[in-house]
Amino acid sequence: MKKNEEKTNVMRTLDGKKIKYQSHKYVDTDAISGIDVATVLGQDPNRVFKTLVTESGSKKYYVFLVPVNMELDLKKAAKAVGEKNVSMIKSKDLLPLTGYIHGGCSPIGMKKQFTTVIHQTAESFEAIIFSAGKIGYQVELSTDELKKVIPFSFANIVVE
């Protein structure tokens, strides 16, 4: 990270815990999908993850990270967290619940820590990339380093 580069709360959290990460910034305002972001960053979309927030029938919230080129399988996601079902939360509920806006949601630094599951393919990469909590900013770190900041598990949670 360059000295004069703006830091997000996610980056400050990682710095505070002495977690090694690499930051990525993109300014292409046309990059609205995760695949667009991976393309702008010149990264493998299998290694760039999107953060999805769901709600269960029992009114509990769960966070899932899946590669940007894949789709969350809600049935597999529910099974991974021991629920009968989960559904995506409404976009308008994201900010009050997490502190993040759509397109800038990170699993690090949410208002409350929710049970988090990462798609199992993340285990095969040295590092994964995901939102740094602000549109235009991404962080790249190993899942071992991520484990020092938030608890999570791995599971097969995507549509095959």
Side-chain angles (χ1 to χ4, degrees), residues 1 3 46 48 71-72 88 99 105-106 117 132 137 140 160:
M1 163 146 277
K3 285 234 186 267
N46 290 301
V48 180
E71 184 182 337
L72 180 67
M88 296 300 297
C105 190
S106 178
V117 179
Y137 295 84
E140 176 178 352
E160 304 277 334

Side-chain angles (χ1 to χ4, degrees), residues 32-141:
I32 50 167
S33 76
I35 293 174
D36 291 340
V37 170
T39 301
V40 167
L41 295 176
Q43 298 292 333
D44 175 356
N46 290 301
R47 209 166 72 87
V48 180
F49 284 67
K50 54 189 170 188
T51 305
L52 305 171
V53 182
T54 64
E55 183 177 13
S56 70
S58 62
K59 298 296 178 205
K60 289 185 181 162
Y61 297 99
Y62 298 96
V63 176
F64 297 95
L65 272 76
V66 299
V68 295
N69 60 349
M70 295 183 189
E71 184 182 337
L72 180 67
D73 183 316
L74 294 172
K75 285 184 179 162
K76 289 180 184 176
K79 185 177 177 187
V81 294
E83 291 281 357
K84 285 186 179 154
N85 58 52
V86 295
S87 58
M88 296 300 297
I89 67 166
K90 291 178 177 62
S91 202
K92 69 177 177 63
D93 296 333
L94 189 63
L95 180 61
L97 180 68
T98 67
Y100 291 123
I101 62 167
H102 181 76
C105 190
S106 178
I108 299 171
M110 289 189 179
K111 287 182 176 181
K112 184 177 176 219
Q113 183 62 56
F114 300 109
T115 299
T116 303
V117 179
I118 301 175
H119 184 55
Q120 63 193 16
T121 55
E123 292 181 281
S124 64
F125 294 108
E126 199 171 297
I128 62 170
I129 300 168
F130 54 88
S131 176
K134 186 175 179 182
I135 293 174
Y137 295 84
Q138 301 274 307
V139 289
E140 176 178 352
L141 65 154

